[in-house]
Amino acid sequence: MGFSAKTFTKTLLCFLIPVALFAQSDTDSIATFSADKKYPQFQFKGLFQARYSTGLSEGVDLNGLHHSEGEVTRNSFEVKRMRVQVKATIGDRTEVVALVNLADFKSDPKNKVLENAYIKYSFSKAVSFTLGQFRPWFGIEETYPVDIIRSLDFTNQYYELGKLGWTSFQTGISMTGNFDLEGLPVSYALSVMNGNGRNQIMDSDNGKHYSSRVVLGLFDKYNINLGLNGGIGEVNKQQVYAYGIDITADYKLTERLILETQFIAKQAINHNAYFAIPEIERINPLSEYQLQGIYVLPNLRYEIKYKKLSAVEFSCRYEYLDIDHKLHSNPRHTILPMLGLEFLKDYGARIQLGMQIDMYNNNIPNTTLYNNNLLVLQVQSRL
């Protein structure tokens, strides 16, 4: 399995670099120099996201932690995100982006608050380079912001792989682009990251995470896209890897009714679980500590376009996640039905009502590995 992941990633690297460079020669530049343009140009954006949560499981708090004794907090208001972003275009091909989440100040802000901080230079549509702190592409969820997802939040899989250095905000460099290959739309990303999370002083070791993603646009009629992801890396002089596949497809049932679907499956070495064990107690090799996850997300969208109400959406995400499926398997099954009302355009304002239902094969008292039902009412506004 480890060999196939490495081979997969190296094949993508060898394929994409020459193809992208070849495609660049036949692709118009994304921008041409204009003496009329004045730089820098600034664009400001923001996101306010707040929620009311109430737990429906006795003895389980809002963080999913079970308490066998005592009172627990089972309902609360929360400011989930208060993001502010500034993008400065400093030339025809160069932009600098900074994104902060001010809501992170409500708890220990160490290694938080600052999310994006990068510079991007585009040679053409086929070749762009991004350097700094950002989200490297390694799946569907890394390609769009949290405020337009078809559910209440990113998946459990996304956050766990972020802890392992493959997703979420990381520091490094990435080459991205899109082009047509004999009429087939292709987009790609090649990334080299520290792999130890955001807002770190430096890399925690000399190892790096090398990841790649390629997306093939297969059928324009149904907007079907196939994504392949692969990565290899080194953590504390030990080899790690991750790989996955994802598919998106949209079906226009009527003029106003659209079914949007997502499917993703990933597997990765869980080096955090391995290195959390004292060295003298490590009986099994690192390759035995593996994370495995799958999710499917159908979203039914009806575009009303009545006054300020743009659309009504209903989604129901199912997710399977086992963070140690070979040695200590206890998978988490999550079902998340959600009803959403979209106001204005492009999710300018949205109200969402959802229930997160978590089920484990084995309940472990006084841990977060315990069955839990959580009802969430969330309101957001894009600024």
Side-chain angles (χ1 to χ4, degrees):
M1 188 174 293
F3 173 79
S4 62
K6 293 180 181 180
T7 304
F8 172 68
T9 304
K10 289 179 179 178
T11 302
L12 283 177
L13 291 172
C14 293
F15 168 75
L16 285 174
I17 291 178
V19 169
L21 293 177
F22 172 78
Q24 180 189 2
S25 63
D26 293 328
T27 305
D28 292 337
S29 171
I30 64 168
T32 57
F33 177 78
S34 173
D36 296 332
K37 292 183 179 180
K38 296 182 179 180
Y39 297 103
Q41 297 176 354
F42 294 94
Q43 182 183 62
F44 296 91
K45 292 183 179 180
L47 169 68
F48 172 78
Q49 194 176 75
R51 59 174 55 173
Y52 173 76
S53 305
T54 180
L56 304 179
S57 301
E58 191 70 30
V60 181
D61 66 23
L62 294 180
N63 294 318
L65 178 62
H66 176 258
H67 300 259
S68 57
E69 298 180 354
E71 290 290 326
V72 299
T73 300
R74 294 179 58 190
N75 68 84
S76 179
F77 292 98
E78 176 192 10
V79 176
K80 182 69 175 179
R81 292 178 177 89
M82 182 62 247
R83 282 178 162 171
V84 179
Q85 175 180 291
V86 57
K87 181 172 73 172
T89 303
I90 60 177
D92 290 319
R93 302 170 183 266
T94 309
E95 62 183 39
V96 178
V97 176
L99 173 66
V100 296
N101 181 17
L102 302 179
D104 281 337
F105 281 112
K106 66 179 180 283
S107 59
D108 183 1
K110 184 179 180 181
N111 300 330
K112 298 179 181 179
V113 185
L114 181 63
E115 297 185 332
N116 279 332
Y118 64 81
I119 185 171
K120 181 177 180 180
Y121 185 85
S122 301
F123 290 96
S124 70
K125 290 191 295 185
V127 180
S128 296
F129 286 93
T130 303
L131 174 65
Q133 181 172 288
F134 55 93
R135 295 193 298 155
W137 289 0
F138 199 68
I140 300 171
E141 295 178 287
E142 292 79 73
T143 60
Y144 49 72
V146 68
D147 39 305
I148 65 171
I149 63 174
R150 304 304 194 258
S151 193
L152 282 172
D153 206 339
F154 288 128
T155 61
N156 306 316
Q157 176 190 123
Y158 170 84
Y159 288 114
E160 288 297 329
L161 287 171
K163 297 174 186 177
L164 298 176
W166 299 110
T167 62
S168 193
F169 299 99
Q170 306 291 336
T171 304
I173 187 171
S174 183
M175 173 181 167
T176 59
N178 59 82
F179 53 88
D180 286 341
L181 185 63
E182 298 296 330
L184 178 69
V186 179
S187 61
Y188 73 94
L190 305 171
S191 306
V192 182
M193 316 301 291
N194 286 339
N196 62 323
R198 59 175 170 163
N199 302 329
Q200 303 291 334
I201 297 176
M202 63 182 70
D203 196 355
S204 56
D205 57 14
N206 290 319
K208 294 291 181 288
H209 282 48
Y210 304 87
S211 63
S212 56
R213 172 173 172 77
V214 59
V215 180
L216 308 176
L218 300 182
F219 298 100
D220 290 338
K221 181 178 179 181
Y222 299 111
N223 195 24
I224 298 178
N225 296 293
L226 172 65
L228 303 173
N229 314 280
I232 57 175
E234 184 178 276
V235 179
N236 296 329
K237 298 183 179 180
Q238 297 246 34
Q239 295 295 314
V240 298
Y241 62 83
Y243 58 92
I245 183 172
D246 54 75
I247 301 173
T248 61
D250 298 338
Y251 304 92
K252 195 167 185 178
L253 305 179
T254 67
E255 187 63 28
R256 293 189 175 187
L257 189 62
I258 304 171
L259 177 61
E260 305 164 321
T261 61
Q262 297 179 4
F263 168 82
I264 189 168
K266 286 183 181 176
Q267 186 151 329
I269 292 290
N270 190 343
H271 53 268
N272 286 342
Y274 175 80
F275 288 113
I277 302 173
E279 187 173 0
I280 194 173
E281 299 178 15
R282 295 174 192 163
I283 301 175
N284 302 99
L286 174 61
S287 59
E288 294 295 304
Y289 292 82
Q290 294 196 11
L291 174 150
Q292 189 177 74
I294 297 173
Y295 85 80
V296 58
L297 173 60
N299 180 67
L300 192 62
R301 175 183 175 86
Y302 183 71
E303 297 181 343
I304 294 180
K305 299 179 181 178
Y306 177 73
K307 294 184 178 180
K308 294 185 179 181
L309 179 60
S310 300
V312 176
E313 295 185 335
F314 177 76
S315 67
C316 188
R317 185 175 75 203
Y318 167 75
E319 180 179 6
Y320 164 93
L321 178 68
D322 196 340
I323 62 174
D324 194 3
H325 83 99
K326 276 197 170 184
L327 298 177
H328 308 97
S329 179
N330 188 17
R332 175 182 181 179
H333 304 268
T334 300
I335 300 174
L336 209 164
M338 188 203 76
L339 175 67
L341 303 177
E342 177 192 346
F343 298 89
L344 307 178
K345 294 181 179 180
D346 300 323
Y347 295 104
R350 184 160 63 161
I351 299 175
Q352 299 166 280
L353 178 64
M355 177 177 285
Q356 181 171 308
I357 304 168
D358 285 322
M359 299 170 289
Y360 291 89
N361 284 14
N362 301 300
N363 280 330
I364 303 177
N366 299 310
T367 71
T368 55
L369 305 178
Y370 205 90
N371 292 350
N372 179 34
N373 297 330
L374 184 68
L375 183 67
V376 180
L377 176 64
Q378 183 167 280
V379 179
Q380 73 171 42
S381 178
R382 305 178 78 192
L383 312 178

